[in-house]
Amino acid sequence: MMLHYLQPAKLQSKKIVFEDVFSARDPATLEHLKELSSRRRVIEESINQSSFITEAIAREMSGGLTSHCLRDLQKLEQYLPLLENLIFHVDLVCSNHRVVRWISELKIRWSSALSSSSLFNLRGPKFFQIDNLRYELGMTLYLYAALLRERAIEILPADLVQSATLFREASGVFQHLANEVFPSLQSSQSVERPLEATPSMCTVMSIICLAEAQAVTIRKAEEKGTTVGLLAKLHYSITELLGEATAIVYSNTIEYKDISSSFLEFISSCKALHELRSRKYLAESVKIGEQVGVTIGVLRDALINVKRELPGEESWRSIFGKETDAASDMLRKYENENEFVWHEKIPCGDELPRLQGNKIANALPYHPKRWERELNFKI
């Protein structure tokens, strides 16, 4: 089993009406602006939970989609090409003072799903305004990636291959945000922004999605009867990936000073869980070579380490409990066997074999789509 954390997709946004701000020179441009507003409105209503549409009507409007997550992904896929086209044409006249004023008047505001102050604010989430269309693009793409990840979790029990693919797609979108979209906002250093609108946070999310894709791939490998030695390496690569994510977070304490403690616990708990699984498989691999003493040492070390990282979340503790119980049972079995048959010395510390990772999951590159329609403004 995997640990699940769905908070990254819990973003909210304030209303935007493009045609009320931008002055269109022709009917085609006005139509484009109105469609942008319409497409965005259904996203706003969904993520803000302000829609009055019944489940049956929502399903019919989406072409029969029963998954709420899939319906939101469909809405975003209809909005993003329109937004990309607006940005393309605004960039051509971005130095015009009227265009600058229009963008400011849009009042682009998004909340944070990973900020502790937003999560525990009784008056509702805190909204962050940045007067830049790439902020709107970035936060919309962030929501899209977070929902791809959520959909991957949703279908995990039924389709391991598709789930892994969606995690890899989500990783690619986060990677695109980190490298291509949010760096352009860094010039506005004085403007307060949500954690999600920083390149480093998107890199962290990209790594997490890769780790989750690897975890799903391991489940498929376990079903096929992959050797325990390779499974140990595959699990440890997840620990290494999440170690990279942790290092990014703690290398910039100012940027991450308001990060949710539950998010940090999710990363550390996943890291510890997969390290335990890696050590269990390593122990099995060593036992095949009839090194019972080393097997016992590996299992003892694994159980000592995991006790330091027990999570507070009840559903996660349950998964940890099953894993530690299985490791404890293995340990007791081999200790008894060693006591009565082998009488081998039990190594510890540096005497134990070192874990090695083997990463096989890679991000799928994201390629933006633009609905190419000429737009003309009164400037």
Side-chain angles (χ1 to χ4, degrees):
M1 293 182 68
M2 293 168 56
L3 306 187
H4 298 321
Y5 185 74
L6 301 179
Q7 190 61 33
K10 310 300 181 189
L11 297 172
Q12 293 187 33
S13 183
K14 294 290 188 179
K15 183 179 180 180
I16 291 179
V17 184
F18 291 94
E19 68 272 19
D20 284 356
V21 174
F22 284 87
S23 183
R25 184 175 291 279
D26 54 59
T29 301
L30 180 60
E31 180 188 346
H32 189 91
L33 293 170
K34 287 182 175 180
E35 187 166 1
L36 257 174
S37 300
S38 175
R39 296 293 186 190
R40 194 185 196 278
R41 184 170 60 254
V42 294
I43 296 168
E44 293 163 8
E45 291 173 350
S46 180
I47 64 176
N48 297 342
Q49 298 181 344
S50 59
S51 175
F52 296 103
I53 296 174
T54 65
E55 176 65 21
I57 294 174
R59 186 166 57 247
E60 184 178 342
M61 289 174 63
S62 67
L65 296 176
T66 56
S67 164
H68 185 273
C69 184
L70 263 184
R71 290 202 290 261
D72 280 351
L73 284 168
Q74 182 188 67
K75 293 167 188 171
L76 289 163
E77 286 167 356
Q78 293 169 342
Y79 174 64
L80 282 165
L82 296 170
L83 181 61
E84 290 275 8
N85 191 51
L86 176 66
I87 292 172
F88 174 81
H89 284 89
V90 166
D91 281 350
L92 300 176
V93 291
C94 61
S95 59
N96 185 279
H97 70 279
R98 284 191 181 180
V99 174
V100 173
R101 189 181 74 245
W102 290 342
I103 295 172
S104 173
E105 289 173 357
L106 284 176
K107 298 187 184 302
I108 304 168
R109 289 169 289 177
W110 286 83
S111 69
S112 172
L114 299 177
S115 165
S116 57
S117 60
S118 288
L119 292 174
F120 301 107
N121 191 340
L122 297 177
R123 293 176 296 178
K126 177 180 179 179
F127 286 88
F128 301 83
Q129 178 175 332
I130 300 179
D131 299 331
N132 192 314
L133 283 175
R134 279 184 172 74
Y135 175 52
E136 169 69 4
L137 174 64
M139 293 303 289
T140 306
L141 273 173
Y142 189 101
L143 176 62
Y144 181 65
L147 287 171
L148 282 174
R149 176 178 174 270
E150 192 169 301
R151 178 60 180 165
I153 294 169
E154 188 175 78
I155 66 169
L156 181 57
D159 192 336
L160 293 177
V161 173
Q162 182 61 17
S163 177
T165 300
L166 287 170
F167 278 126
R168 294 172 64 207
E169 286 182 9
S171 180
V173 178
F174 282 124
Q175 205 172 73
H176 175 76
L177 285 167
N179 297 333
E180 305 297 334
V181 180
F182 283 134
S184 65
L185 297 182
Q186 295 307 295
S187 57
S188 307
Q189 292 290 346
S190 61
V191 179
E192 191 179 13
R193 69 194 66 228
L195 276 170
E196 289 86 346
T198 60
S200 63
M201 187 69 242
C202 293
T203 299
V204 167
M205 287 303 302
S206 178
I207 292 171
I208 288 172
C209 291
L210 266 190
E212 290 170 323
Q214 176 103 353
V216 177
T217 305
I218 291 171
R219 283 181 56 172
K220 194 71 177 173
E222 288 170 336
E223 289 180 359
K224 291 180 177 179
T226 302
T227 63
V228 290
L230 178 55
L231 290 173
K233 292 179 179 180
L234 294 174
H235 273 291
Y236 193 65
S237 72
I238 296 176
T239 300
E240 290 178 325
L241 281 168
L242 296 174
E244 289 178 31
T246 303
I248 292 171
V249 171
Y250 286 106
S251 67
N252 194 339
T253 53
I254 296 176
E255 195 168 86
Y256 290 94
K257 64 182 178 182
D258 195 32
I259 194 168
S260 161
S261 59
S262 63
F263 179 67
L264 294 177
E265 184 181 50
F266 168 70
I267 298 176
S268 63
S269 298
C270 285
K271 183 172 177 286
L273 180 65
H274 286 281
E275 183 167 345
L276 172 61
R277 288 173 175 167
S278 176
R279 291 183 187 277
K280 277 174 57 187
Y281 279 122
L282 176 63
E284 289 183 45
S285 176
V286 172
K287 177 61 173 64
I288 292 171
E290 297 186 349
Q291 301 178 62
V292 179
V294 178
T295 301
I296 293 169
V298 168
L299 288 170
R300 284 180 179 176
D301 193 48
L303 288 167
I304 290 170
N305 288 337
V306 80
K307 285 175 182 176
R308 301 184 190 128
E309 298 290 347
L310 288 176
E313 171 66 37
E314 187 57 41
S315 63
W316 299 349
R317 287 181 74 89
S318 173
I319 294 172
F320 266 73
K322 291 175 183 176
E323 292 289 338
T324 53
D325 287 348
S328 296
D329 289 343
M330 285 176 64
L331 177 60
R332 279 191 295 271
K333 174 187 172 183
Y334 295 136
E335 283 177 334
N336 288 336
E337 188 177 317
N338 192 54
E339 182 179 353
F340 291 105
V341 180
W342 303 105
H343 310 293
E344 288 189 9
K345 177 191 172 185
I346 313 300
C348 61
D350 292 339
E351 298 173 319
L352 296 171
R354 294 176 63 86
L355 290 165
Q356 294 180 321
N358 183 358
K359 184 171 79 73
I360 57 175
N362 295 298
L364 293 175
Y366 172 73
H367 301 290
K369 297 176 182 176
R370 177 169 71 90
W371 187 12
E372 297 184 18
R373 177 190 286 181
E374 187 175 349
L375 302 180
N376 297 290
F377 306 106
K378 292 180 181 177
I379 55 175

